[in-house]
Amino acid sequence: MKKVCGFAMFWTAIGMFIMMLLPNLVWGVILTIVLLVVGYKLFCC
């Protein structure tokens, strides 16, 4: 379980870093929605 939490925290940090690099909030929201859908599909299938 520690490895799963560490993995999730690592990728959350990567996502926050990418959000700081994006100049527009709209692109960040679109990217977040797409990644949530893809993550959900990969987790459930």
Side-chain angles (χ1 to χ4, degrees):
M1 192 63 182
K2 287 181 189 177
K3 289 183 180 182
V4 174
C5 289
F7 187 75
M9 288 180 195
F10 174 77
W11 285 108
T12 301
I14 295 293
M16 288 179 175
F17 180 71
I18 291 171
M19 287 295 291
M20 287 191 306
L21 297 177
L22 290 176
N24 195 351
L25 181 65
V26 176
W27 286 112
V29 172
I30 291 170
L31 180 65
T32 303
I33 291 170
V34 168
L35 292 176
L36 280 172
V37 170
V38 171
Y40 178 76
K41 291 286 185 183
L42 290 173
F43 183 73
C44 290
C45 295

